[in-house]
Amino acid sequence: MKIAVIGANGKAGSRILEEAASRGHEVTAFVRDASKAPSRASAVVVKDVLDLKAADVAGYDVVVSAYGVFDNVDLHADVTNVLIDALKGADARLIMVGGAGSLFVDPEKTQRVVDTPDFPEMFKPLARAQGKALSILEASSGVKWTFLSPSAEIALGKRTGSYLKGKDHLLVNSQGKSYVSYEDYAVAVVDEIENPQHVNERFTVASES
């Protein structure tokens, strides 16, 4: 498959690109600095995501957005709208790297992770911005999308090749931890690319170790 990875030089993007390339897919890295593109990329496109048009993503089977910023978090909504406009009416799917803050912690779906008492204040703006991006996708039409929320903790670790999977609720593993490695997160993304199970919906994953 032909896959575009936006933000391919970040922790999530680089591992998604590596995982997809290792399975034989043709993966293009979209970055702002060509020198930072992963070596496994089949091709490199240097362009700001906010400038993307339909022509830039034409011909791809899947566009993965691993875009993320911690300062001007309102850009998450802008980027989501840009990608929706670029992919509207196309056959290509949009898979978006999301956050855990919008996941629910109760069966009734009345409380999200971002609103729990122990959620770090410094991460609330980012969590809410990523939640807004999900809401924009849910309200969109004419585009096939998937939003993948990680566990509460996502960190560099090991690729086990397996993971727990859920939809809108925060997951915990058998040790009682809500954790996923970037490597297993990347496995989940490429699994979804190869075998779509969550078109036009959000899902979440966790690692056992």
Side-chain angles (χ1 to χ4, degrees):
M1 297 176 76
K2 293 188 67 175
I3 301 169
V5 179
I6 296 165
N9 58 324
K11 290 179 181 177
S14 61
R15 281 150 187 85
I16 292 167
L17 187 147
E18 174 68 27
E19 180 68 28
S22 73
R23 301 194 199 183
H25 297 290
E26 182 181 336
V27 194
T28 299
F30 278 69
V31 292
R32 287 187 294 178
D33 184 347
S35 68
K36 295 181 179 179
S39 60
R40 290 292 297 272
S42 302
V44 177
V45 173
V46 178
K47 192 154 192 175
D48 191 301
V49 63
L50 290 171
D51 296 327
L52 286 179
K53 305 296 183 186
D56 297 310
V57 292
Y60 292 102
D61 298 299
V62 177
V63 175
V64 178
S65 174
Y67 174 86
V69 290
F70 287 92
D71 43 10
N72 189 1
V73 296
D74 289 341
L75 288 175
H76 286 266
D78 296 337
V79 167
T80 303
N81 284 316
V82 165
L83 292 172
I84 289 171
D85 288 344
L87 291 167
K88 188 165 289 187
D91 289 331
R93 290 177 61 205
L94 170 63
I95 296 184
M96 185 166 289
V97 170
S102 59
L103 290 166
F104 293 99
V105 296
D106 62 323
E108 298 78 20
K109 293 187 176 182
T110 61
Q111 187 177 40
R112 299 181 187 272
V113 173
V114 68
D115 297 317
T116 56
D118 295 331
F119 194 90
E121 196 68 33
M122 65 180 293
F123 293 122
K124 285 184 178 181
L126 175 61
R128 291 187 172 127
Q130 290 173 321
K132 182 177 179 180
L134 173 58
S135 296
I136 291 170
L137 287 172
E138 290 173 332
S140 67
S141 60
V143 61
K144 291 174 286 188
W145 60 269
T146 299
F147 187 97
L148 179 51
S149 288
S151 293
E153 178 187 357
I154 182 169
L156 298 177
K158 61 182 180 180
R159 182 192 184 281
T160 69
S162 63
Y163 48 86
L164 306 172
K165 189 161 73 166
K167 286 196 175 181
D168 292 312
H169 288 86
L170 187 72
L171 291 175
V172 295
N173 59 25
S174 60
Q175 288 80 45
K177 291 183 61 180
S178 181
Y179 163 79
V180 66
S181 68
Y182 275 104
E183 292 80 2
D184 282 344
Y185 183 94
V187 171
V189 169
V190 183
D191 284 352
E192 176 65 21
I193 288 172
E194 294 179 339
N195 182 27
Q197 299 291 309
H198 301 284
V199 177
N200 291 350
E201 67 179 24
R202 181 254 297 276
F203 74 107
T204 184
V205 292
S207 296
E208 271 296 347
S209 59

